[in-house]
């Protein structure tokens, strides 16, 4: 197997591959599977890791939640590529994208606490990361990731049991 890969923005033809990457992780309750339409609707948020032979081997998305806050979502790598830097490169690119968008903080919900700690994320002790006025605006969002970030009752108990983490850029 070739051991190098590159990153690129996602294309509509990548949705099936994204679903294939997410499926085993959803079965293990590590990620939440989404309806196909949701992947298409958020496609512009995704980066794709592609092997030199054109195989989609990883994905990750950056979802802007507010002026200064975004979330890394749907970070996945093919089993055969885990431990080979795919996740690391995707996270670094998504953080670069966040900086380019003017985001100051990036949030994630994860079971991979040590992985994200190596990228400068910290476990969130509370929700003081959002001031009360922004909190009231975010309450209007129908996005489940926003609800998880805000620790809203409708997603309690935490649907996956994962950890909230945040990084200041």
């Amino acid at each position: 197997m070739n051991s190098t890969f590159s990153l690129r923005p996602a294309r509509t033809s990548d949705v099936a591959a994204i679903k294939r990457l997410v499926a085993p992780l959803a079965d293990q309750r590590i990620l939440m599977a989404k309806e196909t339409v949701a992947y298409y609707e958020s496609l512009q948020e995704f980066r794709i890791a592609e092997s030199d032979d054109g195989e989609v081997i990883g994905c990750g998305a950056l979802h802007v939640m507010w002026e200064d806050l975004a979330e890394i979502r749907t970070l996945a790598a093919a089993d055969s590529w885990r431990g080979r830097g795919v996740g690391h490169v995707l996270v670094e690119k998504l953080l670069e994208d966040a900086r380019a968008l003017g985001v100051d903080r990036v949030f994630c919900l994860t079971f991979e606490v040590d992985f994200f700690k190596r990228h400068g994320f910290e476990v969130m002790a509370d929700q003081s990361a959002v001031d009360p006025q922004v909190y009231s605006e975010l309450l209007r969002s129908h996005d489940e990731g926003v609800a998880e970030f805000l620790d809203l009752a409708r997603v309690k108990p935490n649907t996956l049991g994962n950890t909230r983490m945040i990084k200041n850029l």
Side-chain angles (χ1 to χ4, degrees):
M1 177 183 292
N2 206 332
S3 62
T4 60
F5 62 93
S6 58
L7 297 186
R8 62 170 173 77
R11 298 186 286 255
T12 56
S13 58
D14 295 321
V15 168
I18 291 169
K19 288 185 71 165
R20 278 193 304 274
L21 289 168
V22 169
L25 299 171
D27 289 345
Q28 298 169 45
R29 298 186 46 78
I30 293 170
L31 288 179
M32 301 256 322
K34 298 177 185 170
E35 297 295 329
T36 302
V37 68
Y39 291 116
Y40 283 112
E41 289 174 342
S42 62
L43 193 66
Q44 67 277 13
E45 299 177 352
F46 275 85
R47 294 290 180 167
I48 295 296
E50 185 176 65
S51 68
D52 286 345
D53 61 4
E55 177 190 3
V56 173
I57 59 166
C59 64
L62 181 74
H63 178 75
V64 175
M65 298 168 74
W66 198 251
E67 177 183 7
D68 64 340
L69 183 65
E71 178 186 8
I72 289 180
R73 298 180 164 181
T74 320
L75 185 67
D79 281 339
S80 60
W81 282 83
R82 288 211 183 107
R84 297 171 66 182
V86 174
H88 167 75
V89 173
L90 280 163
V91 167
E92 290 303 314
K93 180 59 176 166
L94 294 170
L95 292 173
E96 179 184 316
D97 291 349
R99 288 182 191 96
L101 289 169
V103 171
D104 295 327
R105 297 171 300 157
V106 178
F107 161 76
C108 68
L109 289 166
T110 186
F111 288 103
E112 301 296 335
V113 173
D114 291 337
F115 172 83
F116 279 96
K117 279 184 177 178
R118 289 192 300 273
H119 290 90
F121 284 76
E122 298 177 356
V123 174
M124 290 178 62
D126 58 36
Q127 299 306 307
S128 63
V130 178
D131 72 44
Q133 184 176 357
V134 172
Y135 183 92
S136 68
E137 291 288 334
L138 287 173
L139 284 174
R140 299 176 184 167
S141 174
H142 297 286
D143 186 277
E144 288 303 308
V146 172
E148 288 275 6
F149 174 76
L150 296 177
D151 202 20
L152 297 182
R154 76 173 194 248
V155 294
K156 291 311 243 170
N158 185 329
T159 54
L160 296 177
N162 47 17
T163 301
R164 291 172 180 80
M165 298 185 78
I166 198 159
K167 176 183 174 90
N168 292 308
L169 301 179

